[in-house]
Amino acid sequence: MLEKDQKMDKILELVDPTRDFSQVGWRWAPYNAINTDVEQIAANIEEESYSLFRRIRFEDWVRYLTGYEEESVEDLFFQHRVLTHKIRCYLLRHRDERGKYTQVTEKLRNRSPLAHQALLHCLSSASYLPTSLSLPFDLEVISGPLGSLMGDRTLPLSAMLDILPILAIRFNRTYIRAMPFAWPRFTIRVDVLKALIASNPTEFAKDVTISDKKDFDRLCPDAFKTRAPHLIYMNMKWNSFCDAIAECCEAHPGLSYHLGKIAQVRIAQSLVNNFSS
């Protein structure tokens, strides 16, 4: 088994660090929002925080979470320290605005995590004195799960190289294509990929069929009229399964042939069942 450093080196060989990253400063300023209501201030801060975040690639997070310096991630945190500094300076001169920015902080609680952290830092000191630009920031919804994966010494290199392309696609779908709602925790599980690799087409098709049958057996006709909880659960389960299959095919095109075989088995099983009934 490769040592951790050797494994990380192999992974980072596949992560292209050669790109020009240009720093973009924080444009929003509290002095320009004196006559702006709380909801709009929160929306403006959230939008700019997200525009800074989406400039960072999945590969940049991988480098950063393996312990390497990564300018883009460090700059993201730095820019939110700048936001904290700007608002603290403003509140030092406009102490009567504290209540307003307390409400902005509450509005951001389930929105941009970094913007929320910045506002919490602003209000953490009774004196509202400007802080040094070294406040701690972390995007735990991403760094927590992905960091645990990158630090897993038991995971073979081959498995890691199979997983990362799928996670890159999932990262873009979850966070980059559109501003995420409530910033879900990044999911690193790849159960479908593991099942596809470990099973032959007949076994995989059989397992899916058994799982579907168990789900359908719990339904009754009224469930479709009332949208019963189990029906909603089934819909979510199928959507997640479809997303997982799509991720696998996009990350590993060679699996398309394997999935075609599974589909053929499923169709054949369906025809046999229909004929038998």
Side-chain angles (χ1 to χ4, degrees), residues 15-132:
V15 179
D16 180 18
T18 58
R19 71 154 177 158
D20 294 328
F21 177 79
S22 56
Q23 189 180 70
V24 175
W26 196 279
R27 294 167 298 179
W28 180 89
Y31 285 99
N32 297 330
I34 293 176
N35 297 317
T36 306
D37 62 51
V38 168
E39 179 60 42
Q40 189 59 51
I41 291 175
N44 291 343
I45 292 175
E46 178 187 30
E47 182 178 352
E48 188 157 356
S49 174
Y50 177 66
S51 70
L52 292 169
F53 164 81
R54 73 190 309 271
R55 300 174 70 235
I56 303 174
R57 307 173 305 171
F58 174 77
E59 294 85 355
D60 298 337
W61 285 104
V62 171
R63 287 184 60 84
Y64 177 76
L65 293 171
T66 53
Y68 287 77
E69 290 187 5
E70 177 49 52
E71 181 184 7
S72 62
V73 178
E74 292 290 355
D75 183 66
L76 175 69
F77 296 149
F78 174 77
Q79 293 304 331
H80 284 81
R81 293 184 187 107
V82 170
L83 173 64
T84 299
H85 185 79
K86 283 185 175 185
I87 297 177
R88 279 207 167 194
C89 286
Y90 176 78
L91 291 178
L92 182 64
R93 294 170 175 78
H94 301 272
R95 297 177 184 272
D96 58 322
E97 292 278 271
R98 178 177 185 268
K100 183 177 184 178
Y101 279 88
T102 299
Q103 293 179 54
V104 172
T105 305
E106 188 60 32
K107 292 283 185 183
L108 290 169
R109 179 179 297 278
N110 294 317
R111 290 155 77 168
S112 168
L114 290 176
H116 184 242
Q117 288 178 50
L119 269 292
L120 284 177
H121 284 313
C122 292
L123 301 174
S124 63
S125 170
S127 64
Y128 304 108
L129 291 173
T131 62
S132 65

Side-chain angles (χ1 to χ4, degrees), residues 29 38-39 43 65 102 106 108 133 137-138 144 146 151 153 164 199 211 213 222 235 259 265-266:
V38 168
E39 179 60 42
L65 293 171
T102 299
E106 188 60 32
L108 290 169
L133 297 179
F137 276 86
D138 182 29
L146 191 54
R153 292 176 176 268
L164 287 178
S199 307
S211 176
K213 187 177 184 305
D222 288 342
N235 187 52
L259 286 165
V265 173
R266 287 269 289 181

